[in-house]
């Protein structure tokens, strides 16, 4: 290829953080929970997934994280196919880059906040050191700084079970960030929070997204979608029935999509 | 109109009761003469127990101490084996290729009662408390191993998935999710098994495997019922004391009710 031909494409578009084509998934054969989902999330963007209860939002995040197998279609992370046995190796290699914040946060209640946050670094510390709790000082400092930026450094030594819902949410974010992810899958991220804290958390998310981290967030809160999302995807009965820019999305759009 | 279902419950109960009656006949429990003899013998036996003879108390105290040591050492050795095997049998951590054989092994060990294990170890080690402790250890391994893998599998799957998905290995997953989440359950089962083992140790002497059981059997065979009564009272006292102590530990360490 000549020099001139190369310069005709000075900047190839970066591969999407997630890309699915015709993704389908079922728990019970013959009863698909997700059908034919096409999705692409650009690096550094925030994609909001909306849909009524039971529409398959959590399932979609689990398939992307690799916790559930996809039964049809393709799934790529950062341009690399990861679904199926043949791609198990690339899936493992990307494990750390994809953080998953489950619907109920998945925190270890009887461990301290700091230990929960440090567990986000497990893939990059030696097994033996981590087993005896000897995390490098740099990681400890990073964990404390992350807690500080989320406003809960003072709680570092408290057990998670003694925290409020909003505080737990921050711990879950901190653990995810300690993975140094480039894609964060957040399920019902702000559903437990009061409106003020919700905005605080989403402001933080926006700040992180600006550093190049892509977010896929499921939500029920229509007003927040337009304000904080870049794209919005609406799922109903396992099908994608709408995708578009988030800023034009309103409650009226939802009513139309739901056929009301 | 309500459809009349056959009274399944009544039929089942009737069949069960009929079977029990037939078997009681086989076992001689319906033979009036034998029953009368039984009652008379028991009365005589109970009368023979009084008053308990304090004279063998020093010997019996030594034997009781040995019983407790058999129970304690057997429990500790059993736990040391049961914990790693239980992890290997946990389906959320290992695949069926590992969990299957380990479960089979645990089930196999469990089919042999503690007393029979003691016989096996008497053959191997000779008469004495070492065989008793090993018998208790073997049974504990099989029994506690099952209880513990059930505790591990009872850990909230979302927590396990959340920690696993940071990209950690199985040892780290155990240290940072399974053990802390299961700690209360593990302790509770440990106390339960220790209480059980104190009882089991007190009859190890029946097969020459040490402890107070040797004296219990001896007094019974020599018809020294007053001595027997002293030994029984002592055993009863120890069992009650251990149950009480382990209840105290339970209340001290474990939460009073399952957290919401
Ligand atoms: N483990 C499972 N086995 C079988 N079916 C399941 C399982 N988990 C979810 N489902 C079904 O899949 C469908 C989608 O569930 P999912 O949890 O993805 O919905 P959701 O959009 O996240 O709902 P919500 O807003 O209530 O969280 C539902 O009909 C649900 O009953
Ligand atoms: Mg959900």
């Amino acid at each position: 290829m000549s020099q001139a031909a190369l310069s005709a494409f000075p900047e190839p578009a970066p591969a999407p953080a997630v890309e699915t084509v015709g993704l389908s998934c079922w728990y019970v054969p013959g009863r698909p929970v997700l059908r034919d989902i096409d999705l692409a999330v650009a690096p550094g963007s925030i994609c909001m997934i909306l849909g009524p209860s039971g529409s398959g939002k959590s399932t979609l995040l689990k398939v992307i994280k690799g916790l559930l197998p996809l039964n049809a279609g393709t799934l790529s992370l950062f341009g690399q196919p990861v679904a199926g046995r043949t791609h198990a190796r690339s899936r493992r290699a990307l494990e750390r880059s994809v953080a998953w914040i489950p619907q109920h946060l998945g925190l270890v209640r009887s461990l301290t906040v700091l230990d929960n946050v440090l567990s986000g670094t497990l893939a990059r510390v030696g097994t033996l050191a981590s087993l005896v709790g000897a995390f490098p000082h740099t990681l400890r400092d990073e964990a404390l700084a992350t807690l500080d930026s989320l406003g809960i450094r003072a709680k570092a030594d408290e057990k998670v079970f003694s925290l409020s819902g909003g505080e737990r949410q921050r711990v879950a974010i901190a653990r995810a960030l300690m993975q140094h992810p480039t894609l964060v899958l957040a399920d019902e991220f702000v559903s437990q929070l009061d409106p003020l804290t919700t905005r605080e958390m989403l402001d933080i998310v926006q700040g992180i997204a600006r550093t190049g981290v892509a977010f896929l967030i499921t939500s029920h809160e229509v007003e927040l979608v337009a304000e904080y999302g870049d794209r919005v995807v609406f799922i109903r009965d396992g099908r994608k029935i709408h995708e578009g820019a988030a800023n034009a999305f309103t409650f009226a759009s939802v009513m139309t999509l739901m056929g009301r | 109109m309500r459809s009349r279902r056959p009274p399944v419950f009544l039929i089942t109960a009737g069949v069960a009761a009929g079977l029990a009656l037939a078997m009681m006949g086989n076992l001689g429990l319906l033979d009036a003469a034998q029953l009368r003899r039984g009652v008379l013998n028991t009365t005589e036996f109970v009368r023979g127990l009084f008053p308990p003879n304090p004279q063998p108390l020093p010997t019996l105290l030594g034997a009781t101490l040995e019983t407790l040591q058999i129970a304690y050492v057997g429990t500790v050795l059993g736990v040391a084996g049961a914990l790693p095997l239980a992890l290997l049998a946990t389906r959320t951590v290992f695949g069926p290729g590992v969990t299957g054989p380990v479960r089979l092994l645990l089930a196999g060990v469990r089919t042999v009662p503690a007393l029979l294990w003691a016989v096996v170890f008497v053959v191997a080690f000779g008469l004495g408390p070492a065989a008793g402790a090993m018998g208790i250890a073997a049974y504990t391994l099989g029994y506690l191993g099952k209880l513990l893998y059930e505790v591990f599998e009872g850990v909230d799957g979302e927590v396990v998935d959340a920690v696993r998905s940071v990209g950690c290995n199985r040892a780290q997953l155990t240290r940072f999710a399974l053990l802390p989440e299961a700690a209360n359950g593990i302790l509770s089962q440990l106390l339960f098994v220790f209480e059980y083992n104190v009882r089991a140790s007190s009859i190890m002497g029946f097969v020459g495997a040490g402890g107070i059981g040797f004296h219990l059997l001896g007094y019974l065979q020599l018809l020294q019922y007053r001595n027997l009564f002293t030994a029984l009272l002592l055993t009863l006292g120890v069992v009650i004391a251990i149950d009480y102590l382990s209840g105290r530990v339970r209340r001290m360490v474990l939460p009073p009710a399952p957290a919401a």
Side-chain angles (χ1 to χ4, degrees), chain A residues 65 104 109-110 127 130-131, chain B residues 158 165 169 172 175 180-181:
Chain A
K65 180 62 218 184
H104 305 288
R109 282 156 286 227
S110 58
T127 302
S130 65
L131 290 186
Chain B
E158 207 180 70
S165 77
N169 58 38
Q172 292 170 323
R175 159 75 173 79
E181 282 284 295

Side-chain angles (χ1 to χ4, degrees), chain B residues 172-233:
Chain B
Q172 292 170 323
L173 181 68
T174 303
R175 159 75 173 79
F176 284 91
L178 286 171
L179 286 179
E181 282 284 295
N184 285 349
I186 294 173
L187 181 63
S188 173
Q189 302 301 351
L190 278 187
L191 291 172
F192 169 76
V193 165
F194 180 59
E195 287 168 26
Y196 178 92
N197 284 348
V198 170
R199 287 165 230 263
S201 302
S202 64
I203 57 166
M204 282 294 143
F206 286 16
V207 295
I212 198 164
F214 171 75
H215 300 281
L216 286 173
L217 188 67
Y219 295 147
L220 197 60
Q221 284 169 339
L222 300 174
L223 309 183
Q224 296 173 342
Y225 292 160
R226 291 180 50 211
N227 289 354
L228 177 68
F229 197 31
T230 310
L232 283 176
L233 285 177

Side-chain angles (χ1 to χ4, degrees), chain A residues 65 67 95-96 100 102-111 119 122-123 127 130-131 135 175 179, chain B residues 156-169 171-173 175-177 179-181 183:
Chain A
K65 180 62 218 184
L67 295 167
E95 185 81 284
R96 199 186 104 190
W100 175 62
Q103 195 157 354
H104 305 288
L105 304 178
L107 296 171
V108 182
R109 282 156 286 227
S110 58
L111 289 184
S119 73
L122 287 175
T127 302
S130 65
L131 290 186
F135 288 87
R175 178 173 70 188
Q179 269 176 255
Chain B
D156 184 351
E158 207 180 70
V159 176
V160 177
D161 279 342
V163 175
R164 197 204 318 264
S165 77
V166 309
C168 65
N169 58 38
Q172 292 170 323
L173 181 68
R175 159 75 173 79
F176 284 91
L179 286 179
E181 282 284 295

